[in-house]
Amino acid sequence: MTEMLTQLVLTADATLRISTPLILAALAGLCSERAAVIDIGLEGKMLGGAFTAATVSYLTGSAWLGLICAVLACLGLALLHGFACITHKGNQVVSGMAINIVVAGLAPTLGHAIFHINGDTPPLPSGARFLPLTLPGAALVRDVPVLGSLYSELLSGHTLLTYLTFALIPAVSFMLYKTRFGLRLRAVGENPEAVDTAGISVEWLRYRAVLIAGALCGLAGASLSTALGASFIRDMTAGKGYLALAAMIFGKWRPGLTVTACLLFAFTDALQARLQGVELPMVGEIPVQFIIMLPYALTVVLLAGFVGKVVAPKADGIPYVKER
């Protein structure tokens, strides 16, 4: 029983860590699409943030400077997306995919030019990373049955970015549902004509939503390369941006349900890491390829059969043309 509890706690602990970039990216997509700007470019922005954070952190020895530069880089990509889709009314899906493709090629190219090691960055020293934090009293209560394990293993031992991510969940929810800005943001995604009639700039609201999404993607990318990992690796996002979009759709553009979907996907990711090489009763050892595909297979199954009716913001993906 104790061994089973330990395994459950360790799996839950891994779930919280793995969910960090997913939650940040999903909240980014949520803020953007609530303002009716589709952001397929989450994957590219996360990858750009991961590369920038790892590169700057390695060159300066400061994880904080890497984080700031990652956010700035993703804000630049967000502005590019906004310029194409909001100012020039371009196709939002095409713009997002263009960002994904450009960053996927540009990041390893710059990495090779700077470090000459196949497009990756060198391993980061401890001072250039966000290291796990031990909460007060974690060592003292470690041996206490159940509660001690939950506190010392599950709640303690995460990086600052993980704690910040879970603090941002209620903050984003409060912003969307309890502030004037959030009301206007949701209104511009449902009925931009009414917002414009009220004398509020639709374009400026959408730009602010896109910039919020860019900042969150910068945090997500930095968490991948300087918190969960210790360097930038080519294509290290591995589809997490698309999983975040799936989580947002599964959550029906609501923060609570979206985070729940992210935790579910992260749980399957943590589970597949623990199942590799393990022989299951009556099944034997499952080929690693099948185990690795678990999070993605779950995404398809959930979206195909368990989400139910999904209603996106009414103006989602539709450029707003002001009537003359």
Side-chain angles (χ1 to χ4, degrees), residues 1-294:
M1 184 67 178
T2 304
E3 178 64 24
M4 182 181 295
L5 177 62
T6 301
Q7 292 300 321
L8 287 174
V9 171
L10 291 176
T11 304
D13 176 69
T15 299
L16 294 182
R17 285 187 283 105
I18 295 169
S19 70
T20 297
L22 273 179
I23 291 173
L24 289 168
L27 291 177
L30 176 68
C31 291
S32 182
E33 293 212 15
R34 276 294 191 172
V37 180
I38 296 174
D39 199 351
I40 299 293
L42 294 176
E43 179 86 0
K45 288 201 283 287
M46 285 176 68
L47 192 64
F51 172 76
T52 304
T55 300
V56 174
S57 296
Y58 180 81
L59 294 176
T60 64
S62 170
W64 283 104
L65 193 55
L67 174 64
I68 292 170
C69 290
V71 170
L72 291 176
C74 289
L75 287 175
L77 292 172
L79 282 173
L80 180 63
H81 183 55
F83 183 71
C85 300
I86 301 172
T87 302
H88 290 284
K89 323 298 182 190
N91 187 290
Q92 297 170 6
V93 174
V94 172
S95 174
M97 284 305 301
I99 289 174
N100 291 342
I101 295 168
V102 168
V103 175
L106 184 61
T109 301
L110 290 176
H112 180 72
I114 297 170
F115 301 109
H116 307 288
I117 50 171
N118 220 15
D120 302 338
T121 64
L124 301 178
S126 58
R129 296 176 54 206
F130 289 98
L131 299 177
L133 303 175
T134 302
L135 296 181
L140 296 176
V141 302
R142 186 180 300 274
D143 296 328
V144 176
V146 184
L147 292 180
S149 179
L150 291 175
Y151 182 74
S152 62
E153 296 291 345
L154 182 59
L155 298 182
S156 182
H158 298 286
T159 66
L160 182 63
L161 292 182
T162 296
Y163 294 118
L164 175 62
T165 297
F166 283 90
L168 282 173
I169 296 169
V172 170
S173 184
F174 180 83
M175 181 271 291
L176 284 174
Y177 294 104
K178 300 296 183 181
T179 67
R180 180 184 298 178
F181 171 70
L183 175 62
R184 291 175 174 177
L185 197 69
R186 288 183 289 122
V188 84
E190 297 290 342
N191 194 342
E193 291 83 5
V195 174
D196 190 25
T197 302
I200 302 168
S201 172
V202 172
E203 287 194 357
W204 176 225
L205 272 173
R206 289 184 172 178
Y207 261 110
R208 279 186 281 178
V210 166
L211 288 173
I212 292 171
L216 290 172
C217 283
L219 292 174
S223 73
L224 280 174
S225 60
T226 61
L228 293 178
S231 66
F232 172 80
I233 302 172
R234 183 192 296 260
D235 296 326
M236 70 183 306
T237 48
K240 287 183 172 60
Y242 301 112
L243 278 178
L245 283 173
M248 180 193 66
I249 297 170
F250 178 80
K252 300 181 180 179
W253 291 268
R254 298 174 185 171
L257 289 174
T258 297
V259 171
T260 301
C262 289
L263 290 172
L264 181 60
F265 293 153
F267 173 74
T268 60
D269 205 353
L271 191 63
Q272 60 91 3
R274 292 191 170 275
L275 287 178
Q276 292 184 26
V278 176
E279 291 204 9
L280 300 177
M282 302 179 65
V283 177
E285 184 176 337
I286 302 176
V288 65
Q289 293 85 354
F290 286 95
I291 295 175
I292 290 175
M293 79 176 189
L294 271 177

